[in-house]
Amino acid sequence: MSSAAGTVARLTAATADLPAPLAVVDLDVFDANALDLLKRADGMPVRVASKSVRVRSLVQRALGHGFTGIMAYSLREALWLVGEGMRDVLVGYPTVDAGALAALAADPVARAEITLMVDDAAHLACIAVADAAAPDGAPPVRVCLDVDCSLRVGAGRLTAHLGTRRSPLREPADVAALATAALAQGLSVRGLMFYEAQVAGLPDTNPAVRAVKRLSMREVNARRVRVVAAVRDVVGHDVELVNAGGTGSIEVSGTAPGVTEVTAGSGLFAPGLFDGYRSFEARPSAFFGLDVVREPAPGWVTAFSGGYAASGQPGASRLPRLFTPGYTLSGTEGAGEVQTPLRAARGSGPGGRLRTGDRVWLRHAKAGEMMERFDAVHLVRGAEVVETVPTYRGEGRNFG
């Protein structure tokens, strides 16, 4: 029996009495992935990206394995996590949420444990409005400056932008100017973030991609040194935090000059978009199960629900991946809102065919987004559900 077939058999046996659609995480694989991420970091602290997990107990599990701190995706999430006892939460994206900023300003513990991401004077202005009502003697709000790490090739109108559209901050002088403004406002400039999306988030599919990654890292590494030095001149000391990388770039980001920590999260689940990396083995730990409800034609079955497409540019890469061997999605229907047709692969014998009432297993293209579809996730060890825990959605939270 193949490894995938064995996992399918275990998951099906463990969840035989549970209704579908349902989400599961294989704890043995999750734990192995966590330890592998730490090993790849080779002693560099690894911050867990909560958006790639979205299950509080699994975020805590990663911390228990040795991850250091959390990168949250909104201030409201960060406030909630700190309220649940977690510490050192870096908000990975800027916020203009006046209510959440007011809550941060009024809470001394949150002020000490949460670091806000900024890249514009407008963000500082939002913080200033909330901070005006802070109690006397409150510790300063801590901020981290997000620095653009995209690769730009060419000049003028012919410039190609490779990477995400994130921060407007790029050159050392621009970063230093915002750091100066933050200090003048009474904020604490805790650190800098450099996310090389075109390195961390792209699989090693061909030589051209690998060449882009190498060129990107050379450019970012050189610029990072200049940015860190410029901010050091402004604040009068080395900043505490210089964050970089992601699951796909731990090795190269973690050894880059000036970096003090890396971030990872998707590697805990190893979703479909992380197939194809050469620097590490993607071992899937998160799955969702659907039940076969009809057999419309020879070689075809239809599963109930399943249309869990990932965010990003629409296309086949954003669709779920079949984990149950021997089947593919329909090229014309894909994964559907109410039903998902599955076609038996050519050459597969009738012995392994799915029938009405069978369970089929899929993987989401992205990591944490799968958990947006479910209120709970079943944690499996071996062929047994050992615990069922709420997702963020199941805990009734709305983090924006």
Side-chain angles (χ1 to χ4, degrees):
M1 182 180 292
S2 70
S3 175
T7 301
V8 164
R10 286 193 302 103
L11 298 180
T12 301
T15 63
D17 297 329
L18 298 173
L22 77 167
V24 303
V25 168
D26 186 325
L27 287 181
D28 290 325
V29 180
F30 180 94
D31 293 344
N33 287 343
L35 296 176
D36 185 59
L37 288 166
L38 294 172
K39 181 180 180 181
R40 289 172 57 205
D42 195 25
M44 177 67 68
V46 182
R47 186 177 293 274
V48 60
S50 65
K51 80 172 182 62
S52 299
V53 181
R54 305 198 198 199
V55 180
R56 180 163 55 96
S57 70
L58 293 178
V59 171
Q60 291 171 313
R61 192 177 189 90
L63 294 171
H65 280 301
F67 282 65
T68 305
I70 301 167
M71 179 177 285
Y73 63 90
S74 78
L75 177 54
R76 288 187 182 271
E77 181 206 8
L79 290 164
W80 174 61
L81 292 174
V82 169
E84 293 293 328
M86 300 189 203
R87 297 294 179 258
D88 187 10
V89 182
L90 171 64
V91 182
Y93 309 87
T95 183
V96 295
D97 185 333
L101 287 168
L104 172 69
D107 186 342
V109 175
R111 293 173 73 103
E113 298 297 337
I114 293 174
T115 302
L116 298 178
M117 193 66 63
V118 298
D119 62 36
D120 194 289
H123 301 143
L124 303 184
C126 291
I127 297 170
V129 170
D131 215 24
D136 292 338
V141 171
R142 304 193 299 177
V143 297
C144 179
L145 280 59
D146 191 356
V147 182
D148 173 50
C149 288
S150 61
L151 177 65
R152 298 180 184 178
V153 181
R157 294 183 178 181
L158 299 179
T159 300
H161 179 106
L162 303 176
T164 56
R165 298 283 182 178
R166 291 174 64 103
S167 171
L169 298 177
R170 186 172 178 89
E171 299 303 326
D174 297 328
V175 184
L178 191 63
T180 300
L183 290 177
Q185 190 173 304
L187 305 178
S188 171
V189 178
R190 185 187 179 202
L192 300 161
M193 185 169 85
F194 298 82
Y195 177 52
E196 319 93 326
Q198 71 276 13
V199 179
L202 285 179
D204 306 310
T205 50
N206 57 60
V209 170
R210 294 191 284 275
V212 166
K213 289 187 174 187
R214 289 193 297 270
L215 181 60
S216 293
M217 289 308 303
R218 283 199 296 269
E219 191 279 329
V220 169
N221 287 347
R223 185 157 47 87
R224 183 189 293 110
V225 170
R226 299 195 300 273
V227 169
V228 170
V231 174
R232 182 194 306 122
D233 290 343
V234 170
V235 302
H237 56 79
D238 287 328
V239 292
E240 172 190 346
L241 180 159
V242 179
N243 182 281
T247 289
S249 66
I250 285 179
E251 293 89 349
V252 293
S253 297
T255 58
V259 173
T260 66
E261 65 174 40
V262 293
T263 297
S266 294
L268 295 167
F269 288 169
L273 283 175
F274 279 79
D275 296 344
Y277 280 84
R278 301 202 310 177
S279 59
F280 66 97
E281 179 186 1
R283 293 168 295 195
S285 70
F287 310 88
F288 63 92
L290 310 176
D291 285 345
V292 173
V293 294
R294 57 170 43 154
E295 301 174 54
W300 288 87
V301 296
T302 302
F304 179 74
S305 189
Y308 309 150
S311 61
Q313 186 177 26
S317 68
R318 262 47 190 181
L319 295 179
R321 274 63 163 169
L322 262 294
F323 190 72
T324 296
Y327 281 82
T328 61
L329 293 175
S330 162
T332 55
E333 294 188 58
E337 178 185 6
V338 178
Q339 64 175 36
T340 295
L342 306 173
R343 182 176 186 175
R346 292 177 181 174
S348 61
R353 294 288 175 85
L354 294 168
R355 295 289 182 253
T356 298
D358 288 345
R359 184 151 292 172
V360 61
W361 294 96
L362 302 92
R363 300 161 56 211
H364 202 278
K366 287 193 172 182
E369 285 189 18
M370 183 182 99
M371 299 305 175
E372 294 180 349
R373 301 287 183 162
F374 300 94
D375 291 334
V377 57
H378 306 287
L379 307 183
V380 173
R381 194 179 294 282
E384 180 183 0
V385 173
V386 296
E387 189 177 6
T388 298
V389 297
T391 63
Y392 279 10
R393 192 181 90 163
E395 294 201 272
R397 305 291 171 177
N398 178 13
F399 303 129

